[in-house]
Each structure stands twice: as C-alpha cells, then as structure tokens.
Amino acid sequence: MVRDAEAEDYTEHHAEGRLEYRFALKKGIPFPVLTEASGAFPELRVEAEWDHDGVRGRAVIENGRLMEEHRDSAGGPGIEIAVEDDGRLGLALVVEKRDACCIGYAATADRHTFFRFVRGELDLIDPEDPDVELEDMALAFVEEWIWYDEEEAPLERARYAGYGFPVRGANLRSGKLALLRSSGMRHSSLDETGRAAREALERRWLKSA
C-alpha cells in the first residue's frame, strides 16, 4: 500500500513491537491487501480501525482470516449482507430510520428495489422511480458495498477470477467479500425494526422471484 505510486496520504508511527500507518482514505479500506499480507506472514497481526461518517469500526486479521470485527454506528443505517457459496449476491440490504418510518434499498445478483417500512407495512418503490432521499441513501450504500457488471472494474474482475467466482449483474465488492469469506459469508447490523423490515421484504419481494 505505502509503496504504491498511487498510495493515498498517510503518516508512519513506530512503537515497541508495533508499526502503525494512518491513512486518509478516499477509496475505502483495502481489506484484500491486508488479508493477503497477513496470509503471507502468519506471525503478523493486522489491526484496522476507522471512523467515517459517524461509523466507527475495528477489524483484526491474522493468518489471512478475519478474527474480529466491531462496528458502532451512532444512529446510522443498518445493513445485512448474504453471499452464496459460489459468490452470488443473495442479498445486500440497507435500512435507515426516518422519523416514524424506515426507508431502505435491497439488491440481489439480478434485481433491486427501494422500499418504505411504516408501522409494520412494507411499501415497495419502483426501482426506476425513487425519490431523492431513497436514491441518495442507496448510492452511498452501493459505493461502499456493491459493484456492477456494467462497470469496467478491472481490479474487481481480477479478484473475482482469483476466487473462482463468476461476475454477475450485481456483485459484492471484493474488499467486503474478503472479510465475509471467513465469517460464513454473512453480515448483519440490523436492529429489531430493521429485522422486521427484512422479514417483510423476504415475504413480499425475495420469495416472489
């Protein structure tokens, strides 16, 4: 990372038995690079910490595997990710509270939808006609978690080829995939309301495919 000609801004800090790099990242944490380095040097313990848009987190990687992950989103959106064994995106879901309701966006490998969840009732929104609030939330989620086959994305394609996974319409970003591969290919930070919205979405949308 630091030797890369296009490396982002960083500072280097030394302490006994510890080397720390502090990055001002604009492209997200490069988890595949950290995982590969950890796998190449089993004695190396990699700890990554971040604070971005009100979301704080920490991950520990050892011997090429994610050992710990903690997130603390103060009032931020809840998410759920599920990936099948062959790399297919089973569900990428974000739910965010808005006053008396929740708004959300969900995607699978081959389709997507927006929705509102109000007092236990799910209202599906036409994917071609979201309002600005829904669209802005979805764009922020997609930027962090998903890439599409219509993108060039040479690095994502190379990493998927390395995993032996085919590229489909919508795909989980390889940095996130590297983390989920050691945690059952699932991740969720949904609260009780978010889980209720997901269950309604499963009944109304996922099972109707």
Side-chain angles (χ1 to χ4, degrees), residues 24-53:
L25 297 172
K26 298 178 181 178
K27 302 176 183 178
I29 299 175
F31 281 111
V33 176
L34 300 178
T35 302
E36 290 169 11
S38 171
F41 300 94
E43 71 281 5
L44 178 66
R45 175 184 172 93
V46 177
E47 298 184 16
E49 298 182 356
W50 60 91
D51 186 341
H52 179 67
D53 288 345

mmCIF file of all heavy atoms in Angstrom, residues 24-53:
data_model
loop_
_atom_site.group_PDB
_atom_site.id
_atom_site.type_symbol
_atom_site.label_atom_id
_atom_site.label_comp_id
_atom_site.label_asym_id
_atom_site.label_seq_id
_atom_site.Cartn_x
_atom_site.Cartn_y
_atom_site.Cartn_z
ATOM 1 N N ALA A 24 -5.565 8.676 5.208
ATOM 2 C CA ALA A 24 -6.757 9.472 4.922
ATOM 3 C C ALA A 24 -7.353 8.882 3.645
ATOM 4 O O ALA A 24 -7.106 9.359 2.535
ATOM 5 C CB ALA A 24 -6.396 10.942 4.732
ATOM 6 N N LEU A 25 -8.105 7.794 3.806
ATOM 7 C CA LEU A 25 -8.563 7.005 2.662
ATOM 8 C C LEU A 25 -9.817 7.588 2.021
ATOM 9 O O LEU A 25 -10.755 7.977 2.713
ATOM 10 C CB LEU A 25 -8.843 5.563 3.099
ATOM 11 C CG LEU A 25 -7.629 4.778 3.609
ATOM 12 C CD1 LEU A 25 -8.076 3.452 4.188
ATOM 13 C CD2 LEU A 25 -6.626 4.557 2.493
ATOM 14 N N LYS A 26 -9.810 7.616 0.698
ATOM 15 C CA LYS A 26 -10.978 8.052 -0.051
ATOM 16 C C LYS A 26 -11.637 6.879 -0.774
ATOM 17 O O LYS A 26 -12.772 6.972 -1.214
ATOM 18 C CB LYS A 26 -10.576 9.114 -1.081
ATOM 19 C CG LYS A 26 -10.006 10.384 -0.457
ATOM 20 C CD LYS A 26 -9.582 11.376 -1.530
ATOM 21 C CE LYS A 26 -8.990 12.639 -0.901
ATOM 22 N NZ LYS A 26 -8.528 13.597 -1.933
ATOM 23 N N LYS A 27 -10.912 5.762 -0.904
ATOM 24 C CA LYS A 27 -11.417 4.607 -1.657
ATOM 25 C C LYS A 27 -11.798 3.447 -0.750
ATOM 26 O O LYS A 27 -12.039 2.344 -1.219
ATOM 27 C CB LYS A 27 -10.347 4.143 -2.654
ATOM 28 C CG LYS A 27 -9.906 5.210 -3.642
ATOM 29 C CD LYS A 27 -8.787 4.710 -4.525
ATOM 30 C CE LYS A 27 -8.292 5.801 -5.470
ATOM 31 N NZ LYS A 27 -7.161 5.339 -6.311
ATOM 32 N N GLY A 28 -11.843 3.671 0.553
ATOM 33 C CA GLY A 28 -12.189 2.594 1.468
ATOM 34 C C GLY A 28 -10.960 1.823 1.914
ATOM 35 O O GLY A 28 -9.874 1.937 1.339
ATOM 36 N N ILE A 29 -11.122 1.030 2.966
ATOM 37 C CA ILE A 29 -10.005 0.242 3.495
ATOM 38 C C ILE A 29 -9.729 -0.928 2.559
ATOM 39 O O ILE A 29 -10.642 -1.700 2.235
ATOM 40 C CB ILE A 29 -10.335 -0.270 4.906
ATOM 41 C CG1 ILE A 29 -10.574 0.913 5.851
ATOM 42 C CG2 ILE A 29 -9.210 -1.149 5.446
ATOM 43 C CD1 ILE A 29 -11.021 0.515 7.231
ATOM 44 N N PRO A 30 -8.485 -1.110 2.108
ATOM 45 C CA PRO A 30 -8.148 -2.189 1.160
ATOM 46 C C PRO A 30 -8.005 -3.534 1.867
ATOM 47 O O PRO A 30 -6.909 -4.073 2.008
ATOM 48 C CB PRO A 30 -6.825 -1.707 0.562
ATOM 49 C CG PRO A 30 -6.183 -0.937 1.667
ATOM 50 C CD PRO A 30 -7.317 -0.250 2.402
ATOM 51 N N PHE A 31 -9.121 -4.112 2.311
ATOM 52 C CA PHE A 31 -9.071 -5.348 3.072
ATOM 53 C C PHE A 31 -8.395 -6.502 2.318
ATOM 54 O O PHE A 31 -7.694 -7.306 2.945
ATOM 55 C CB PHE A 31 -10.477 -5.762 3.504
ATOM 56 C CG PHE A 31 -10.976 -4.986 4.695
ATOM 57 C CD1 PHE A 31 -12.007 -4.078 4.558
ATOM 58 C CD2 PHE A 31 -10.414 -5.159 5.946
ATOM 59 C CE1 PHE A 31 -12.478 -3.362 5.652
ATOM 60 C CE2 PHE A 31 -10.869 -4.447 7.045
ATOM 61 C CZ PHE A 31 -11.903 -3.552 6.889
ATOM 62 N N PRO A 32 -8.570 -6.656 0.985
ATOM 63 C CA PRO A 32 -7.869 -7.751 0.304
ATOM 64 C C PRO A 32 -6.354 -7.661 0.452
ATOM 65 O O PRO A 32 -5.674 -8.678 0.640
ATOM 66 C CB PRO A 32 -8.301 -7.583 -1.162
ATOM 67 C CG PRO A 32 -9.622 -6.915 -1.076
ATOM 68 C CD PRO A 32 -9.502 -5.965 0.076
ATOM 69 N N VAL A 33 -5.812 -6.456 0.382
ATOM 70 C CA VAL A 33 -4.364 -6.283 0.539
ATOM 71 C C VAL A 33 -3.933 -6.675 1.945
ATOM 72 O O VAL A 33 -2.931 -7.378 2.144
ATOM 73 C CB VAL A 33 -3.962 -4.817 0.251
ATOM 74 C CG1 VAL A 33 -2.471 -4.612 0.521
ATOM 75 C CG2 VAL A 33 -4.289 -4.461 -1.194
ATOM 76 N N LEU A 34 -4.692 -6.246 2.946
ATOM 77 C CA LEU A 34 -4.362 -6.574 4.330
ATOM 78 C C LEU A 34 -4.469 -8.079 4.569
ATOM 79 O O LEU A 34 -3.640 -8.669 5.268
ATOM 80 C CB LEU A 34 -5.297 -5.823 5.277
ATOM 81 C CG LEU A 34 -5.261 -4.296 5.195
ATOM 82 C CD1 LEU A 34 -6.277 -3.703 6.156
ATOM 83 C CD2 LEU A 34 -3.873 -3.758 5.490
ATOM 84 N N THR A 35 -5.485 -8.699 3.991
ATOM 85 C CA THR A 35 -5.665 -10.144 4.159
ATOM 86 C C THR A 35 -4.533 -10.921 3.507
ATOM 87 O O THR A 35 -4.003 -11.888 4.068
ATOM 88 C CB THR A 35 -7.017 -10.576 3.559
ATOM 89 O OG1 THR A 35 -8.070 -9.844 4.192
ATOM 90 C CG2 THR A 35 -7.263 -12.063 3.768
ATOM 91 N N GLU A 36 -4.139 -10.501 2.308
ATOM 92 C CA GLU A 36 -3.047 -11.171 1.607
ATOM 93 C C GLU A 36 -1.737 -11.037 2.377
ATOM 94 O O GLU A 36 -0.972 -11.995 2.507
ATOM 95 C CB GLU A 36 -2.904 -10.591 0.198
ATOM 96 C CG GLU A 36 -4.058 -10.961 -0.731
ATOM 97 C CD GLU A 36 -4.028 -10.166 -2.022
ATOM 98 O OE1 GLU A 36 -3.003 -9.490 -2.271
ATOM 99 O OE2 GLU A 36 -5.029 -10.217 -2.771
ATOM 100 N N ALA A 37 -1.471 -9.839 2.906
ATOM 101 C CA ALA A 37 -0.246 -9.628 3.682
ATOM 102 C C ALA A 37 -0.238 -10.495 4.931
ATOM 103 O O ALA A 37 0.775 -11.098 5.294
ATOM 104 C CB ALA A 37 -0.107 -8.155 4.053
ATOM 105 N N SER A 38 -1.389 -10.591 5.582
ATOM 106 C CA SER A 38 -1.498 -11.411 6.781
ATOM 107 C C SER A 38 -1.294 -12.882 6.459
ATOM 108 O O SER A 38 -0.666 -13.622 7.222
ATOM 109 C CB SER A 38 -2.883 -11.190 7.417
ATOM 110 O OG SER A 38 -3.102 -12.098 8.456
ATOM 111 N N GLY A 39 -1.821 -13.325 5.310
ATOM 112 C CA GLY A 39 -1.643 -14.720 4.920
ATOM 113 C C GLY A 39 -0.202 -15.050 4.584
ATOM 114 O O GLY A 39 0.285 -16.161 4.840
ATOM 115 N N ALA A 40 0.504 -14.076 3.992
ATOM 116 C CA ALA A 40 1.910 -14.303 3.625
ATOM 117 C C ALA A 40 2.828 -14.306 4.839
ATOM 118 O O ALA A 40 3.911 -14.911 4.819
ATOM 119 C CB ALA A 40 2.356 -13.234 2.628
ATOM 120 N N PHE A 41 2.403 -13.615 5.912
ATOM 121 C CA PHE A 41 3.209 -13.536 7.139
ATOM 122 C C PHE A 41 2.322 -13.930 8.321
ATOM 123 O O PHE A 41 1.739 -13.056 8.984
ATOM 124 C CB PHE A 41 3.771 -12.123 7.322
ATOM 125 C CG PHE A 41 4.657 -11.676 6.193
ATOM 126 C CD1 PHE A 41 4.133 -10.944 5.125
ATOM 127 C CD2 PHE A 41 6.007 -11.998 6.182
ATOM 128 C CE1 PHE A 41 4.947 -10.537 4.083
ATOM 129 C CE2 PHE A 41 6.819 -11.592 5.144
ATOM 130 C CZ PHE A 41 6.296 -10.868 4.089
ATOM 131 N N PRO A 42 2.184 -15.241 8.595
ATOM 132 C CA PRO A 42 1.243 -15.714 9.622
ATOM 133 C C PRO A 42 1.487 -15.119 11.002
ATOM 134 O O PRO A 42 0.558 -15.039 11.812
ATOM 135 C CB PRO A 42 1.467 -17.230 9.629
ATOM 136 C CG PRO A 42 2.054 -17.533 8.290
ATOM 137 C CD PRO A 42 2.874 -16.338 7.922
ATOM 138 N N GLU A 43 2.710 -14.698 11.271
ATOM 139 C CA GLU A 43 3.008 -14.133 12.585
ATOM 140 C C GLU A 43 2.554 -12.673 12.693
ATOM 141 O O GLU A 43 2.580 -12.085 13.778
ATOM 142 C CB GLU A 43 4.504 -14.217 12.880
ATOM 143 C CG GLU A 43 5.392 -13.269 12.066
ATOM 144 C CD GLU A 43 5.666 -13.748 10.638
ATOM 145 O OE1 GLU A 43 5.094 -14.782 10.241
ATOM 146 O OE2 GLU A 43 6.444 -13.080 9.934
ATOM 147 N N LEU A 44 2.118 -12.101 11.581
ATOM 148 C CA LEU A 44 1.709 -10.694 11.546
ATOM 149 C C LEU A 44 0.252 -10.544 11.980
ATOM 150 O O LEU A 44 -0.637 -11.240 11.489
ATOM 151 C CB LEU A 44 1.877 -10.139 10.123
ATOM 152 C CG LEU A 44 1.456 -8.692 9.891
ATOM 153 C CD1 LEU A 44 2.353 -7.740 10.660
ATOM 154 C CD2 LEU A 44 1.489 -8.376 8.392
ATOM 155 N N ARG A 45 0.012 -9.661 12.904
ATOM 156 C CA ARG A 45 -1.356 -9.337 13.340
ATOM 157 C C ARG A 45 -1.707 -7.958 12.782
ATOM 158 O O ARG A 45 -1.028 -6.967 13.075
ATOM 159 C CB ARG A 45 -1.451 -9.330 14.868
ATOM 160 C CG ARG A 45 -2.804 -8.887 15.424
ATOM 161 C CD ARG A 45 -2.733 -8.827 16.948
ATOM 162 N NE ARG A 45 -3.916 -8.238 17.553
ATOM 163 C CZ ARG A 45 -4.972 -8.924 17.983
ATOM 164 N NH1 ARG A 45 -4.973 -10.243 17.875
ATOM 165 N NH2 ARG A 45 -6.001 -8.311 18.536
ATOM 166 N N VAL A 46 -2.729 -7.895 11.973
ATOM 167 C CA VAL A 46 -3.150 -6.643 11.343
ATOM 168 C C VAL A 46 -4.401 -6.132 12.059
ATOM 169 O O VAL A 46 -5.400 -6.850 12.158
ATOM 170 C CB VAL A 46 -3.448 -6.840 9.848
ATOM 171 C CG1 VAL A 46 -3.949 -5.524 9.232
ATOM 172 C CG2 VAL A 46 -2.214 -7.335 9.113
ATOM 173 N N GLU A 47 -4.340 -4.914 12.555
ATOM 174 C CA GLU A 47 -5.493 -4.280 13.185
ATOM 175 C C GLU A 47 -5.852 -3.031 12.387
ATOM 176 O O GLU A 47 -5.018 -2.156 12.186
ATOM 177 C CB GLU A 47 -5.183 -3.898 14.633
ATOM 178 C CG GLU A 47 -4.843 -5.092 15.528
ATOM 179 C CD GLU A 47 -4.638 -4.686 16.975
ATOM 180 O OE1 GLU A 47 -5.046 -3.553 17.327
ATOM 181 O OE2 GLU A 47 -4.081 -5.494 17.741
ATOM 182 N N ALA A 48 -7.075 -2.981 11.923
ATOM 183 C CA ALA A 48 -7.555 -1.819 11.156
ATOM 184 C C ALA A 48 -8.664 -1.137 11.938
ATOM 185 O O ALA A 48 -9.594 -1.793 12.406
ATOM 186 C CB ALA A 48 -8.070 -2.270 9.789
ATOM 187 N N GLU A 49 -8.569 0.172 12.093
ATOM 188 C CA GLU A 49 -9.599 0.952 12.764
ATOM 189 C C GLU A 49 -10.023 2.091 11.845
ATOM 190 O O GLU A 49 -9.195 2.645 11.110
ATOM 191 C CB GLU A 49 -9.071 1.513 14.094
ATOM 192 C CG GLU A 49 -8.673 0.436 15.091
ATOM 193 C CD GLU A 49 -8.192 1.024 16.416
ATOM 194 O OE1 GLU A 49 -8.098 2.275 16.506
ATOM 195 O OE2 GLU A 49 -7.901 0.249 17.333
ATOM 196 N N TRP A 50 -11.307 2.442 11.877
ATOM 197 C CA TRP A 50 -11.783 3.510 11.000
ATOM 198 C C TRP A 50 -12.875 4.323 11.685
ATOM 199 O O TRP A 50 -13.549 3.853 12.598
ATOM 200 C CB TRP A 50 -12.305 2.928 9.686
ATOM 201 C CG TRP A 50 -13.439 1.965 9.829
ATOM 202 C CD1 TRP A 50 -14.768 2.244 9.814
ATOM 203 C CD2 TRP A 50 -13.343 0.542 10.032
ATOM 204 N NE1 TRP A 50 -15.501 1.108 9.980
ATOM 205 C CE2 TRP A 50 -14.665 0.043 10.108
ATOM 206 C CE3 TRP A 50 -12.272 -0.342 10.133
ATOM 207 C CZ2 TRP A 50 -14.930 -1.302 10.301
ATOM 208 C CZ3 TRP A 50 -12.539 -1.685 10.328
ATOM 209 C CH2 TRP A 50 -13.850 -2.157 10.405
ATOM 210 N N ASP A 51 -13.015 5.540 11.206
ATOM 211 C CA ASP A 51 -14.053 6.460 11.685
ATOM 212 C C ASP A 51 -14.488 7.263 10.468
ATOM 213 O O ASP A 51 -13.751 8.129 9.988
ATOM 214 C CB ASP A 51 -13.487 7.376 12.776
ATOM 215 C CG ASP A 51 -14.565 8.261 13.412
ATOM 216 O OD1 ASP A 51 -15.634 8.423 12.787
ATOM 217 O OD2 ASP A 51 -14.329 8.779 14.504
ATOM 218 N N HIS A 52 -15.680 6.958 9.947
ATOM 219 C CA HIS A 52 -16.120 7.580 8.701
ATOM 220 C C HIS A 52 -17.617 7.839 8.745
ATOM 221 O O HIS A 52 -18.407 6.924 8.973
ATOM 222 C CB HIS A 52 -15.795 6.658 7.512
ATOM 223 C CG HIS A 52 -16.242 7.209 6.183
ATOM 224 N ND1 HIS A 52 -15.690 8.337 5.620
ATOM 225 C CD2 HIS A 52 -17.191 6.786 5.321
ATOM 226 C CE1 HIS A 52 -16.275 8.579 4.464
ATOM 227 N NE2 HIS A 52 -17.194 7.659 4.262
ATOM 228 N N ASP A 53 -18.009 9.082 8.545
ATOM 229 C CA ASP A 53 -19.417 9.476 8.500
ATOM 230 C C ASP A 53 -20.194 8.966 9.713
ATOM 231 O O ASP A 53 -21.317 8.456 9.605
ATOM 232 C CB ASP A 53 -20.078 8.958 7.215
ATOM 233 C CG ASP A 53 -19.607 9.711 5.983
ATOM 234 O OD1 ASP A 53 -19.005 10.791 6.142
ATOM 235 O OD2 ASP A 53 -19.817 9.216 4.859
#
